Amino acid sequence: MDAKGNGEMAAAAAEDVERAIAGPTNPMVTPLLTDLYQFTMFYAYWKAGKHHERSVFDLYFRKNPFGGEYTVFAGLEECIKFIANFKMTEDEISFIRDSLPSSCEDGFFDYLRGIDCSDVEVYAISEGSVVFPKVPLLRVEGPIAVVQLLETPFLTLINYASLVATNAARHRFVAGKSKMLLEFGLRRAQGPDGGIGASKYCYMGGFDATSNVAAGRLFGIPLRGTHSHAFVSSYMSPDEIVEKSLQSSDGSHTCEDFVSLVQTWLNKIQWSPSLRGIFGETNQSELAAFTSYALAFPNNFLALVDTYDVVRSGIPNFCAVALALNDLGYKAVGIRLDSGDLAYLSCEVRKFFCAVAKDFGVPGFEKTGITASNDLNEETLDALNKQGHEVDAYGIGTNLVTCFAQPALGCVFKLVEINNQPRIKLSEDVSKVSIPCKKRSYRLYGREGYPLVDIMTGENEPSPKVGERILCRHPFNESKRAYVVPQQVEELMKCYWPGSSGKPRVELPALKDIRDRCIKQLEKMRPDHMRRLNPTPYKVSVSAKLYDFIHFLWLNEAPVGELQ
Amino acid sequence: MDAKGNGEMAAAAAEDVERAIAGPTNPMVTPLLTDLYQFTMFYAYWKAGKHHERSVFDLYFRKNPFGGEYTVFAGLEECIKFIANFKMTEDEISFIRDSLPSSCEDGFFDYLRGIDCSDVEVYAISEGSVVFPKVPLLRVEGPIAVVQLLETPFLTLINYASLVATNAARHRFVAGKSKMLLEFGLRRAQGPDGGIGASKYCYMGGFDATSNVAAGRLFGIPLRGTHSHAFVSSYMSPDEIVEKSLQSSDGSHTCEDFVSLVQTWLNKIQWSPSLRGIFGETNQSELAAFTSYALAFPNNFLALVDTYDVVRSGIPNFCAVALALNDLGYKAVGIRLDSGDLAYLSCEVRKFFCAVAKDFGVPGFEKTGITASNDLNEETLDALNKQGHEVDAYGIGTNLVTCFAQPALGCVFKLVEINNQPRIKLSEDVSKVSIPCKKRSYRLYGREGYPLVDIMTGENEPSPKVGERILCRHPFNESKRAYVVPQQVEELMKCYWPGSSGKPRVELPALKDIRDRCIKQLEKMRPDHMRRLNPTPYKVSVSAKLYDFIHFLWLNEAPVGELQ
């Protein structure tokens, strides 16, 4: 094989691909977004003439987040966009020169000028898949020095993405399928693209919409938002509303004084049979704000009702405006609660809506939407469910996007083979020992259609076959093993970046398709793996052959102690 | 006053400033990096002809993070860079048009085309200051609709920045002044600029260096990094080292076979009087990696020693290479421990270094540097201090950059005045009631030079005077008040963005200066506010006049209940 010729062909092919694949979403994701030691190692490899050596790295995590037993894999698209456009600029190279000891040779910096990812191969589980500890999410092959440079950006792009997608999926699980889930986290996110990433990956994990306009634009995620407390308190009284007319929904007539119409309705509500005595004078600044908002968005009237007092001011004011809109053929969307006892308040609000529907004969008014926000998380959603509530939609921010319950996922990137020699990383902590060898991994499905176990094998072992019994061994615990007769076998990793291998490249799917995949995968899991309390761990295993090899290599590398 | 003429002058002045102030570090920070409701509110304001109304918003937090009693304010520079360049593009406006209901009028989108921040004023506490709950970090004045657009980006830019700077300061406090603190968090950060922001603000909060090359380049932060476990396991044995020669430090001679020199030293160490019997055969892949790294960086040899076994392999291998380097006039930098019992291991390593220094007569070798990493946080640093250790430098990642102990700071942005009318936001939770009015705030210092109390006053009240007794009241608790005779009075907010006010603009200081300010401010605090266990809360107060006004307004806005 003419290695060079092959490399050149690959470079040409890679160029074509580069044209097709845009760069990372965040332009700050450059070859310099990495740890300095990736460059010091590169120099040491180069100095030793070792930088070309073909290496295989696995990217995986060791423990599912949030005390759960599953993780959603996300961030792959950004990794591929990164390597498709990987090229160092003169400025970047000159900065590296300044950052390394002055003894470093010029030839090295010339070499950096030429590097790209045309000789790197990336195999990965599809983005949006449900994944488990120890099973490689990515297998990255290529010249060791270049692949090392990718370690930090790949981890940065995958760790948080997978963490927050998992968090979103967990929130969806507790909220239930029928609720609308809105991501409202931008202002509390860990920096601007903490916010933008959160919006993307929460949508992927099953949220319906975001408040983040930039994310809506970048990724086509549906946007939601109406008004804040400041909007309410920026008004003093309805007197300040100058333009008071509103055309009816069908355009047939115009109400010249919508402000008075609202006031009329407020009086009617106050003395209506079911609501008499519930409230006295409502807050006039709030009434003005709601009226003004309705004049601007008669088809999209959703009001935040807790600026002063939900039941004694916010809800009566909302209903007055909503009924005035109803007179003109518009249907109010609903209200948002952002404080207090959301279970209790949502039930009170629903009662109020039902009373209005009944007293004034407005069918459907009882179904007016109730959105809840304010420091929601898995626990509060669960508590709301247990108490009983009338919430239709949740706006979730801080806890969702910062992953408050566990703000980091610990993906690692470990060398498993170099020059066709398997490598192992030992540790006194068994959970930190790496699984050596270039591997394949499979998901085996049982009779009921649920995934039963993931199994890793050596690259060249025959794949598990439907209907054939196979021994699945725990990688480190001798006594844990089980025979499985798979009803379906799914190879997990596909080639997302073929480098110079000539293999076909799997296309990056659209976000919507990744989201659909994710939702389907989550539904396919056996329920006991998914529950919040004491979920059953999903089994991850290795083939008998790989098991034996791991332990052979381990004994080979570990020093023998001497008791004294 | 000719408001329009004034506005035009301001616009011209703002243009000059714009030229001088670069945009935000992250190009994704655009006017669209905000919540959709800022635009729906903008439309409603515009529709009501209210968008021009002069408003005042305070940006503040309600509770110090990490169970502490102080916070470091960070993120101001990015906010100013953002507003200095605030302008919507045609594409952005067209996206907003698509995102709002189709009933929105064309005139609104024309209006968006013209908006900028030339009529906005920003007063802020200096970045890097120690700050406390409820005291405004920023006061933003301007046309209500434009100022609302700034809410989300300002919060996004300040919340995480202040949180992580505070976290860094807390880590520095526990580690002590003499230790080197390295931020290693990029791979676990919440997205790319979670990582870049962490590097910037950890440096601001007192860290010494980062591993993040992009942050080093953007902000001039010192960079650190050597090699990883993968580097070690990428070698099989010293046989594979081809280029074995190393010139001496002074250039006077060349060692033709550095690999053999290392081997000779390894044998000597193994049989030296103090070390005999401590280790047998060391790992050859590790020895090869260290040797190769030393050949590449003879002046910067720092080795990661825990890939196989610290005491029986990593340290003997390191010492053999270090002593060989020593023969050639190079001084090894040190080792890094990344697992195990860091207190115990660091002491064992120090003993080993002392034995080498003594047995081989290498003065100074006992002081070879020891860096520790692996899931460090405030607690583990504190535990290391209590156990006794020999660590000189800490590399801290996950817990530092994701602020694992509390991953979000809850800064809020509240309307306090509109059209010269003070506004209040009520809540059943007293801690959530906002402090109304356009205010000034001061830090009052006591006899011993420590800050005693922060006090907020109405904009037009006379400022507190040195030597004059002033009553400081808790804003919400009637019984909490104290007289203070300040020895020094510091007005906290300065004008960082004058808008059309004609006031002079305070220049944005360099990062290094902000860092120095931060370190000095932290040192100036009374120690009981700073301690980790049960710190004393720092007092935050309002003037007697402001107190009375808050409570007048509160009674005015809150609905009167009716017990039934």
Side-chain angles (χ1 to χ4, degrees):
Chain A
M1 190 185 87
D2 176 3
K4 201 177 167 199
N6 207 346
E8 272 167 13
M9 272 166 52
E15 256 175 47
D16 286 344
V17 173
E18 272 174 41
R19 258 176 246 127
I21 302 183
T25 301
N26 186 344
M28 297 170 89
V29 180
T30 68
L32 293 198
L33 189 76
T34 196
D35 291 304
L36 182 67
Y37 78 2
Q38 314 292 9
F39 282 104
T40 51
M41 285 192 278
F42 199 137
Y43 182 75
Y45 288 135
W46 179 83
K47 194 82 170 73
K50 197 178 157 68
H51 53 296
H52 276 305
E53 291 181 3
R54 197 85 191 157
S55 63
V56 182
F57 283 79
D58 282 350
L59 189 152
Y60 61 97
F61 59 93
R62 297 178 179 127
K63 202 174 175 324
N64 289 302
F66 310 119
E69 290 296 345
Y70 67 97
T71 299
V72 172
F73 171 46
L76 175 62
E77 180 189 9
E78 295 292 333
C79 291
I80 301 301
K81 287 178 159 184
F82 175 62
I83 59 172
N85 296 278
F86 187 99
K87 194 80 195 161
M88 293 188 70
T89 66
E90 285 305 314
D91 278 359
E92 287 169 345
I93 291 167
S94 130
F95 182 74
I96 294 299
R97 186 193 290 268
D98 295 344
S99 302
L100 293 185
S102 55
S103 60
C104 291
E105 296 169 26
D106 287 345
F108 173 65
F109 303 102
D110 295 335
Y111 186 79
L112 284 184
R113 208 161 277 131
I115 61 167
D116 60 25
C117 290
S118 59
D119 205 21
V120 171
E121 295 163 51
V122 177
Y123 301 83
I125 299 183
S126 300
E127 189 160 3
S129 297
V130 175
V131 291
F132 304 98
K134 300 191 203 82
V135 182
L137 307 174
L138 262 71
R139 187 180 82 208
V140 186
E141 306 178 25
I144 187 161
V146 172
V147 176
Q148 286 267 219
L149 286 186
L150 306 177
E151 173 178 29
T152 313
F154 275 16
L155 290 172
T156 305
L157 293 169
I158 288 172
N159 265 323
Y160 175 62
S162 301
L163 183 73
V164 75
T166 307
N167 204 19
R170 295 181 63 86
H171 281 76
R172 166 58 74 194
F173 185 82
V174 185
K177 276 191 206 179
S178 66
K179 303 296 171 189
M180 173 78 87
L181 289 183
L182 316 170
E183 177 271 310
F184 281 178
L186 175 58
R187 64 185 59 193
R188 300 286 168 81
Q190 296 200 351
D193 74 6
I196 289 172
S199 304
K200 176 177 180 182
Y201 298 114
C202 286
Y203 182 66
M204 190 183 285
F207 269 57
D208 296 300
T210 179
S211 65
N212 180 342
V213 183
R217 184 176 180 222
L218 283 166
F219 310 118
I221 305 170
L223 287 170
R224 286 291 182 284
T226 53
H227 71 82
S228 69
H229 294 118
F231 182 81
V232 174
S233 51
S234 77
Y235 284 81
M236 303 298 284
S237 92
D239 299 343
E240 67 185 286
I241 300 177
V242 180
E243 176 54 50
K244 302 178 183 184
S245 71
L246 181 62
Q247 204 180 41
S248 66
S249 173
D250 59 8
S252 65
H253 64 289
T254 295
C255 164
E256 293 302 336
D257 191 348
F258 186 73
V259 174
S260 297
L261 183 61
V262 168
Q263 193 60 59
T264 310
W265 271 113
L266 188 58
N267 295 339
K268 284 193 202 165
I269 299 169
Q270 197 170 2
W271 301 106
S272 80
S274 322
L275 297 165
R276 196 171 302 165
I278 288 188
F279 65 98
E281 202 184 337
T282 61
N283 187 289
Q284 292 301 292
S285 115
E286 183 178 65
L287 185 63
F290 289 0
T291 306
S292 188
Y293 195 84
L295 284 165
F297 296 107
N299 274 309
N300 300 271
F301 179 55
L302 193 154
L304 177 61
V305 293
D306 69 339
T307 306
Y308 300 103
D309 187 303
V310 173
V311 176
R312 290 186 302 196
S313 183
I315 291 299
N317 281 338
F318 167 80
C319 290
V321 177
L323 289 167
L325 283 174
N326 182 61
D327 283 351
L328 298 169
Y330 298 103
K331 197 169 168 304
V333 174
I335 60 109
R336 177 159 71 96
L337 297 168
D338 190 40
S339 58
D341 180 337
L342 299 174
Y344 168 79
L345 286 174
S346 67
C347 293
E348 289 300 300
V349 170
R350 184 68 69 206
K351 274 193 247 166
F352 207 110
F353 288 165
C354 290
V356 167
K358 183 169 141 272
D359 287 5
F360 302 108
V362 187
F365 198 89
E366 70 282 2
K367 289 185 190 151
T368 300
I370 301 178
T371 300
S373 51
N374 187 31
D375 268 349
L376 296 176
N377 59 24
E378 274 190 73
E379 276 67 39
T380 48
L381 295 186
D382 193 44
L384 281 169
N385 288 342
K386 283 172 183 153
Q387 289 167 71
H389 66 86
E390 287 289 339
V391 176
D392 303 299
Y394 295 106
I396 313 186
T398 313
N399 291 294
L400 177 69
V401 307
T402 67
C403 301
F404 215 93
Q406 182 186 322
L409 180 67
C411 280
V412 295
F413 191 76
K414 294 291 170 192
L415 179 70
V416 294
E417 192 176 295
I418 184 164
N419 294 327
N420 297 313
Q421 299 291 319
R423 303 305 287 154
I424 191 167
K425 194 240 162 240
L426 302 183
S427 172
E428 294 188 20
D429 180 354
V430 172
S431 74
K432 285 191 161 187
V433 174
S434 65
I435 299 180
C437 302
K438 185 166 168 178
K439 296 179 289 289
R440 292 177 184 269
S441 30
Y442 304 89
R443 186 156 295 173
L444 310 185
Y445 291 78
R447 269 179 225 289
E448 293 170 75
Y450 296 125
L452 281 184
V453 61
D454 283 5
I455 184 168
M456 292 170 263
T457 72
E459 167 80 355
N460 298 317
E461 286 186 61
S463 71
K465 305 229 162 16
V466 170
E468 273 186 26
R469 200 170 79 145
I470 182 170
L471 183 62
C472 299
R473 299 201 62 164
H474 186 288
F476 303 117
N477 188 329
E478 202 177 7
S479 65
K480 288 192 180 172
R481 58 223 160 123
Y483 282 107
V484 174
V485 181
Q487 303 302 307
Q488 185 195 332
V489 175
E490 181 190 5
E491 179 155 12
L492 290 173
M493 284 194 288
K494 292 174 190 158
C495 180
Y496 280 90
W497 187 254
S500 53
S501 69
K503 290 180 193 159
R505 179 172 69 80
V506 174
E507 288 293 330
L508 295 170
L511 176 57
K512 190 76 181 54
D513 296 332
I514 299 175
R515 180 175 187 267
D516 289 346
R517 175 186 186 82
C518 176
I519 292 169
K520 277 197 201 108
Q521 285 243 323
L522 289 162
E523 281 172 359
K524 214 160 55 176
M525 293 299 299
R526 214 173 61 203
D528 59 313
H529 298 308
M530 311 304 284
R531 67 184 174 216
R532 290 187 64 234
L533 203 64
N534 295 325
T536 314
Y538 179 83
K539 287 187 180 55
V540 166
S541 67
V542 295
S543 67
K545 199 168 164 192
L546 183 56
Y547 178 90
D548 290 341
F549 188 75
I550 294 169
H551 293 265
F552 161 76
L553 204 65
W554 192 341
L555 286 177
N556 214 33
E557 293 285 358
V560 184
E562 277 182 48
L563 296 174
Q564 288 172 346
Chain B
M1 192 186 83
D2 176 2
K4 200 178 168 197
N6 206 346
E8 271 168 14
M9 273 165 54
E15 257 175 48
D16 286 344
V17 174
E18 272 175 43
R19 258 175 245 127
I21 301 182
T25 302
N26 186 344
M28 296 171 89
V29 180
T30 69
L32 293 198
L33 190 75
T34 197
D35 291 304
L36 182 67
Y37 79 2
Q38 314 292 8
F39 282 104
T40 50
M41 286 192 279
F42 200 138
Y43 183 75
Y45 288 136
W46 180 83
K47 193 83 171 72
K50 196 178 158 70
H51 54 295
H52 275 305
E53 290 182 3
R54 197 84 190 157
S55 62
V56 182
F57 283 79
D58 282 350
L59 187 152
Y60 60 97
F61 59 91
R62 297 176 179 130
K63 202 172 176 324
N64 289 301
F66 311 119
E69 291 296 346
Y70 66 96
T71 299
V72 171
F73 171 45
L76 175 62
E77 181 188 8
E78 295 292 333
C79 292
I80 301 301
K81 287 178 159 182
F82 174 62
I83 58 172
N85 296 278
F86 187 99
K87 194 81 196 162
M88 292 187 70
T89 65
E90 285 305 315
D91 277 358
E92 287 169 345
I93 291 166
S94 131
F95 182 75
I96 293 300
R97 185 193 290 269
D98 295 343
S99 302
L100 293 185
S102 55
S103 60
C104 290
E105 297 168 26
D106 287 345
F108 173 65
F109 303 102
D110 294 337
Y111 186 79
L112 284 185
R113 208 161 276 130
I115 61 167
D116 61 24
C117 290
S118 60
D119 204 22
V120 171
E121 294 163 53
V122 178
Y123 300 83
I125 299 183
S126 301
E127 189 161 6
S129 297
V130 176
V131 292
F132 303 99
K134 301 189 202 83
V135 182
L137 306 175
L138 262 70
R139 187 180 81 209
V140 186
E141 307 177 26
I144 187 162
V146 172
V147 176
Q148 285 268 218
L149 286 187
L150 306 177
E151 173 178 30
T152 313
F154 275 16
L155 290 172
T156 305
L157 293 169
I158 287 172
N159 265 323
Y160 175 62
S162 300
L163 183 74
V164 74
T166 308
N167 204 20
R170 295 181 63 86
H171 280 77
R172 166 58 76 194
F173 185 82
V174 186
K177 275 191 206 179
S178 66
K179 302 297 172 190
M180 174 77 86
L181 290 184
L182 316 170
E183 177 270 311
F184 281 177
L186 176 56
R187 64 186 60 194
R188 302 283 169 83
Q190 295 199 352
D193 76 4
I196 288 172
S199 303
K200 176 177 180 181
Y201 298 114
C202 287
Y203 182 66
M204 189 182 285
F207 269 57
D208 296 299
T210 179
S211 64
N212 180 342
V213 182
R217 183 172 179 223
L218 283 166
F219 310 118
I221 305 170
L223 288 171
R224 287 290 182 283
T226 53
H227 71 82
S228 69
H229 294 117
F231 182 80
V232 173
S233 50
S234 78
Y235 284 81
M236 303 297 285
S237 93
D239 298 344
E240 67 185 287
I241 301 176
V242 180
E243 177 54 52
K244 302 177 183 186
S245 73
L246 181 63
Q247 204 179 41
S248 66
S249 172
D250 61 6
S252 66
H253 64 290
T254 296
C255 166
E256 293 303 335
D257 189 350
F258 186 71
V259 175
S260 296
L261 183 61
V262 168
Q263 193 60 58
T264 309
W265 270 112
L266 189 59
N267 295 339
K268 284 193 204 168
I269 300 168
Q270 197 170 3
W271 301 105
S272 80
S274 321
L275 298 167
R276 196 169 303 164
I278 289 188
F279 66 97
E281 202 184 334
T282 62
N283 187 289
Q284 293 300 291
S285 114
E286 182 177 65
L287 185 63
F290 290 0
T291 306
S292 188
Y293 195 83
L295 284 164
F297 297 107
N299 273 308
N300 300 272
F301 178 56
L302 194 154
L304 176 61
V305 294
D306 69 340
T307 306
Y308 300 103
D309 186 305
V310 173
V311 177
R312 291 187 300 195
S313 183
I315 292 299
N317 281 338
F318 167 80
C319 290
V321 176
L323 289 167
L325 283 173
N326 183 61
D327 283 351
L328 298 170
Y330 298 104
K331 197 169 167 304
V333 174
I335 59 109
R336 178 160 72 96
L337 297 168
D338 190 40
S339 58
D341 180 336
L342 299 172
Y344 168 79
L345 285 174
S346 68
C347 294
E348 289 300 300
V349 170
R350 186 67 70 206
K351 274 193 246 166
F352 207 110
F353 288 165
C354 291
V356 166
K358 182 168 142 276
D359 287 4
F360 302 107
V362 188
F365 198 90
E366 70 282 2
K367 289 187 188 149
T368 300
I370 301 177
T371 300
S373 52
N374 187 29
D375 267 350
L376 296 175
N377 59 25
E378 275 190 72
E379 277 65 40
T380 47
L381 295 185
D382 193 45
L384 281 168
N385 288 342
K386 283 173 183 152
Q387 289 167 71
H389 66 86
E390 287 290 339
V391 176
D392 303 300
Y394 295 107
I396 314 186
T398 312
N399 292 293
L400 178 69
V401 307
T402 66
C403 300
F404 214 94
Q406 182 187 321
L409 181 66
C411 280
V412 295
F413 192 76
K414 294 290 170 192
L415 179 70
V416 295
E417 194 177 292
I418 184 163
N419 294 328
N420 298 313
Q421 299 291 319
R423 303 305 286 154
I424 192 167
K425 194 240 162 240
L426 302 184
S427 172
E428 293 185 21
D429 179 355
V430 171
S431 74
K432 285 192 160 186
V433 174
S434 65
I435 299 179
C437 303
K438 184 165 167 178
K439 298 178 289 288
R440 291 177 186 270
S441 32
Y442 304 89
R443 186 156 296 171
L444 309 184
Y445 291 79
R447 268 179 225 289
E448 292 170 76
Y450 295 124
L452 282 183
V453 62
D454 283 5
I455 185 169
M456 291 171 263
T457 72
E459 166 80 356
N460 297 318
E461 286 186 61
S463 72
K465 303 229 162 19
V466 169
E468 272 185 27
R469 200 172 79 147
I470 181 169
L471 183 62
C472 298
R473 297 200 66 164
H474 186 288
F476 303 116
N477 187 328
E478 202 177 8
S479 66
K480 286 190 180 174
R481 58 221 162 128
Y483 282 108
V484 173
V485 181
Q487 302 304 305
Q488 186 197 331
V489 175
E490 180 190 4
E491 179 155 12
L492 290 174
M493 284 192 289
K494 293 173 189 158
C495 179
Y496 279 90
W497 186 255
S500 53
S501 69
K503 289 180 193 158
R505 180 171 68 81
V506 174
E507 287 292 329
L508 295 171
L511 176 58
K512 191 74 181 56
D513 297 332
I514 299 176
R515 180 176 188 267
D516 289 347
R517 174 186 186 83
C518 177
I519 292 169
K520 276 196 201 111
Q521 285 243 324
L522 290 163
E523 280 171 359
K524 216 161 52 176
M525 292 301 298
R526 213 172 62 202
D528 59 312
H529 298 309
M530 312 303 284
R531 68 185 174 216
R532 291 187 62 235
L533 203 65
N534 295 326
T536 314
Y538 179 84
K539 286 186 178 56
V540 166
S541 67
V542 295
S543 67
K545 200 168 164 192
L546 183 56
Y547 178 90
D548 291 340
F549 188 76
I550 293 169
H551 292 265
F552 161 76
L553 204 63
W554 193 339
L555 286 178
N556 216 32
E557 294 284 358
V560 185
E562 276 183 49
L563 293 178
Q564 290 171 347

